[in-house]
């Protein structure tokens, strides 16, 4: 599998990222989805899952378990884990200030360095 990746660099990163984001090749019928996952998905699909009325209906308990590193009763798909973490960040004023907006994507942005080179230091 590793021999199919390009050499280290931007293409290597893009190939690894594409593999990580690809859905698994396991049949979906092998595991029964717990009803709690469907309930959590409905809560997280709410426009404001970080608001108190939605958060207190179950997302808070999942977050507390994740935050403490506890083992979950059922495996939780990564897309739900990310949504729970995102909602928790939105609730924390130190992590997510009120009114802060996230750009849609930063993949098309180029990074330019504005730092000036360090001056050479000559020994005394």
């Amino acid at each position: 599998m590793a021999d199919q990746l390009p050499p280290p660099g931007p293409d290597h990163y893009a190939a690894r990222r594409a593999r990580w984001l690809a859905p698994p090749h396991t049949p979906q019928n092998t595991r029964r989805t717990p009803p709690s996952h469907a309930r959590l998905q409905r809560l997280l699909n709410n426009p404001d899952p970080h608001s108190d009325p939605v958060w207190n209906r179950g997302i808070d308990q999942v977050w507390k378990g994740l935050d403490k590193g506890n083992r979950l009763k059922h495996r939780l798909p990564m897309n739900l884990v990310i949504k729970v973490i995102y909602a928790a960040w939105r609730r924390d004023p130190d992590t997510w200030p009120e009114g802060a907006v996230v750009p849609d994507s930063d993949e098309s942005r180029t990074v330019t360095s504005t730092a000036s080179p360090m001056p050479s230091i000559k020994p005394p």
Side-chain angles (χ1 to χ4, degrees):
M1 184 173 266
D3 58 336
Q4 298 171 353
L5 292 173
D11 292 336
H12 181 86
Y13 169 79
R16 291 281 310 259
R17 184 174 185 275
R19 281 188 185 176
W20 189 75
L21 293 174
H25 297 289
T26 57
Q28 295 296 324
N29 301 357
T30 57
R31 291 192 184 141
R32 198 174 125 241
T33 303
S36 58
H37 285 192
R39 183 174 180 274
L40 182 60
Q41 182 70 56
R42 282 192 306 275
L43 290 171
L44 291 168
N45 284 340
N46 187 291
D48 295 317
H50 57 280
S51 64
D52 283 343
V54 180
W55 179 261
N56 294 330
R57 290 176 58 203
I59 301 173
D60 61 333
Q61 293 301 315
V62 176
W63 169 246
K64 286 176 188 174
L66 290 172
D67 187 43
K68 291 179 182 177
N70 294 343
R71 179 172 266 220
L72 300 172
K73 292 178 185 175
H74 304 286
R75 291 182 182 195
L76 199 57
M78 184 59 77
N79 66 333
L80 293 182
V81 172
I82 290 170
K83 288 179 180 183
V84 169
I85 293 170
Y86 176 74
W89 284 351
R90 294 284 309 266
R91 289 183 61 80
D92 181 8
D94 293 332
T95 304
W96 202 286
E98 186 68 33
V101 178
V102 176
D104 289 336
S105 173
D106 63 353
E107 295 215 2
S108 62
R109 293 185 184 183
T110 57
V111 177
T112 57
S113 175
T114 58
S116 59
M118 291 190 61
S120 59
I121 300 174
K122 297 180 181 177

